[in-house]
Amino acid sequence: MCQSNTLQGPELHTGKWLRSGNGGSSSCAGDQHPQLESPGPAGSAGGTPSRRTRFRLQFPQLALRRRLGQLSCMSRPALKLRSWPLTILYYLLPFGALKPLTRVGWRPMSRVALYKSVPTRLLSRAWGRLNQVELPTWLRKPVYSLYIWTFGVNMKEAAVEDLHHYRNLSEFFRRKLKPQARPVCGVHSVISPSDGKILNFGQVKNCEVEQVKGVTYSLESFLGPRISTEEMHFSQAPPNNSFQKQLVTKEGNELYHCVIYLAPGDYHCFHSPTDWTVSHRRHFPGSLMSVNPGVARWIKELFCHNERVVLTGDWKHGFFSLTAVGATNVGSIRIYFDQDLHTNSPSYSKGSYNDFSFISNNNKEGIPMRKGEHLGEFNLGSTIVLIFEAPKDFRFNLKAGQKIRFGEALGSL
């Protein structure tokens, strides 16, 4: 039971709580008024203020303490609801206007906790509904022109340059490109599956992957538990090995990763980065926080919290996976050959995932994909993560932070 305690004169001045020796504690609904001991003469040694002056000085702290004591009696959801607006004001108001609250026991939510409490899934579904609204013909050019100017979209690459052709924002986001706009590199073994910015790349070490420089996430948390050998015929490593070693199927090979961030102005479709066979799909429902590089530096294991679709299979050198990570306003992830995939559902169980095998449900070979072939699409922008096995002499032809376009080389042997 939540209790409040009476304050006595000296303790009121120092801000300390004392328990009453004769049953002075009471329920939250019935807080007693504090009793002030009679102070010495106003002019005594030490300059003790008068009783009225001292009460006037300490009354705001006392009132705040009583209110904070009542907050502690609330359930966790109710407490979060009451603290949320106050925390926002704490971070937004200038000159530390609400900093005195921390001196009487109140603690603001951390910036990360505050951001995680934003209903991003609900906002993303609302944005998706808005994107489907057909715009009047006269309004299309002003709206799309504003978007083009804001995010630097190059409409000369679009298959259809006429802005009046796109009936709604969704069609505009998913616009196709002219065939010659993105030539596919035929020399290198792995190409970029999309337009975007290279956030990080390199070898996977100690079962950890860098989402941005210095910020890592767990490989097993990101991909989920190892798929059974019946579905993934190449996963033959002993189960007592580390998760990373279980993915490496050929002696002398290493595991590599590459993270590509798609900005709102980028081409939103993604393609097959190499010749490979997709054997399995794993869908993780989750949050839809922004995957902007600034946020990725701020929130550890951001990609493990967000909704994502993991496609796994094999290529000529062993294990290969492509993961499409959702983000704020990007709850819709579409895989062209997977009609059973439905993302950004209204409800989900935290930490859950759904598996689908293309070997047992479709055929014994999986889904063959050719390099450069259309694979899927986002709405707005998001992130693609490649994790694959390759020989030790595989080299990336990249620099962190560089812009890249679909079809350009990522690396080769």
Side-chain angles (χ1 to χ4, degrees):
M1 179 182 296
C2 182
Q3 296 181 337
S4 62
N5 304 287
T6 58
L7 292 173
Q8 295 185 353
E11 305 306 329
L12 176 61
H13 185 67
T14 60
K16 298 180 180 178
W17 292 87
L18 290 177
R19 291 188 177 276
S20 174
N22 56 354
S25 61
S26 64
S27 66
C28 291
D31 288 332
Q32 297 180 356
H33 293 289
Q35 302 296 323
L36 296 175
E37 290 183 353
S38 178
S44 62
T48 305
S50 68
R51 181 172 183 239
R52 177 177 299 177
T53 302
R54 184 169 58 184
F55 185 81
R56 185 183 302 116
L57 290 172
Q58 300 302 323
F59 179 76
Q61 288 194 20
L62 171 62
L64 286 170
R65 285 184 184 277
R66 292 181 63 191
R67 291 298 295 161
L68 292 170
Q70 292 175 3
L71 283 176
S72 66
C73 298
M74 295 182 180
S75 64
R76 186 178 295 273
L79 179 60
K80 183 182 289 188
L81 184 64
R82 294 293 293 271
S83 299
W84 197 72
L86 197 60
T87 300
I88 293 177
L89 291 175
Y90 177 84
Y91 289 121
L92 292 182
L93 292 180
F95 310 117
L98 296 184
K99 197 170 184 179
L101 292 179
T102 61
R103 300 172 187 166
V104 294
W106 179 75
R107 290 292 179 268
M109 300 166 61
S110 69
R111 288 181 172 87
V112 173
L114 178 64
Y115 181 62
K116 287 182 178 179
S117 67
V118 176
T120 52
R121 292 180 64 85
L122 178 62
L123 293 175
S124 297
R125 285 196 297 275
W127 176 254
R129 295 287 180 87
L130 180 63
N131 286 349
Q132 299 296 330
V133 175
E134 184 170 343
L135 298 176
T137 304
W138 62 269
L139 189 59
R140 294 174 187 176
K141 188 171 183 178
V143 170
Y144 300 148
S145 296
L146 177 62
Y147 185 91
I148 291 168
W149 177 81
T150 303
F151 296 107
V153 179
N154 184 4
M155 286 301 294
K156 292 182 179 180
E157 299 177 336
V160 180
E161 297 184 37
D162 182 13
L163 298 180
H164 296 98
H165 170 79
Y166 303 101
R167 294 174 297 176
N168 51 48
L169 286 168
S170 181
E171 287 188 2
F172 179 73
F173 294 149
R174 296 180 287 106
R175 64 194 176 276
K176 303 299 181 182
L177 298 181
K178 295 174 181 176
Q180 67 275 18
R182 296 291 186 275
V184 175
C185 177
V187 177
H188 297 273
S189 54
V190 183
I191 63 169
S192 175
S194 65
D195 289 9
K197 178 181 180 181
I198 301 295
L199 295 189
N200 218 307
F201 63 92
Q203 282 191 19
V204 177
K205 298 180 180 179
N206 302 320
C207 294
E208 294 283 327
V209 183
E210 281 192 325
Q211 60 189 27
V212 291
K213 187 68 174 178
V215 182
T216 64
Y217 56 92
S218 164
L219 179 64
E220 186 169 7
S221 297
F222 182 69
L223 295 179
R226 189 171 72 107
I227 300 165
S228 65
T229 56
E230 288 79 9
E231 295 187 12
M232 303 289 284
H233 63 274
F234 52 87
S235 298
Q236 302 293 339
N240 57 344
N241 282 353
S242 69
F243 184 78
Q244 179 177 340
K245 290 182 178 178
Q246 292 179 33
L247 297 179
V248 177
T249 63
K250 298 180 180 180
E251 187 175 353
N253 282 1
E254 297 289 346
L255 208 60
Y256 298 86
H257 75 98
C258 183
V259 183
I260 305 171
Y261 167 68
L262 287 73
D266 288 327
Y267 170 54
H268 291 11
C269 297
F270 51 93
H271 301 246
S272 175
T274 191
D275 296 333
W276 65 307
T277 300
V278 183
S279 304
H280 188 272
R281 180 260 292 162
R282 177 169 284 165
H283 171 219
F284 291 86
S287 302
L288 288 173
M289 293 179 282
S290 172
V291 292
N292 181 280
V295 178
R297 294 187 188 93
W298 191 30
I299 301 179
K300 182 178 174 62
E301 296 200 333
L302 170 64
F303 296 160
C304 297
H305 292 302
N306 270 15
E307 182 161 15
R308 60 197 181 278
V309 176
V310 182
L311 300 178
T312 53
D314 62 320
W315 70 318
K316 60 184 179 181
H317 298 295
F319 173 81
F320 198 96
S321 73
L322 180 148
T323 302
V325 183
T328 306
N329 298 333
V330 197
S332 175
I333 302 173
R334 183 184 174 193
I335 305 297
Y336 294 139
F337 58 76
D338 189 356
Q339 302 302 318
D340 296 319
L341 176 64
H342 301 285
T343 57
N344 197 11
S345 301
S347 60
Y348 71 98
S349 299
K350 188 175 182 180
S352 65
Y353 58 85
N354 305 308
D355 283 330
F356 186 88
S357 171
F358 297 111
I359 291 179
S360 59
N361 289 280
N362 287 2
N363 53 63
K364 296 300 180 182
E365 301 298 329
I367 307 294
M369 297 296 300
R370 305 296 297 175
K371 183 167 63 175
E373 186 178 352
H374 279 83
L375 184 55
E377 62 186 34
F378 293 112
N379 281 326
L380 204 56
S382 194
T383 297
I384 295 287
V385 180
L386 302 179
I387 299 175
F388 57 93
E389 175 185 359
K392 290 183 178 180
D393 57 350
F394 180 86
R395 295 291 181 268
F396 285 102
N397 305 316
L398 303 171
K399 293 182 180 179
Q402 78 170 68
K403 292 287 291 182
I404 197 167
R405 304 202 302 177
F406 155 62
E408 295 179 349
L410 289 182
S412 61
L413 299 172

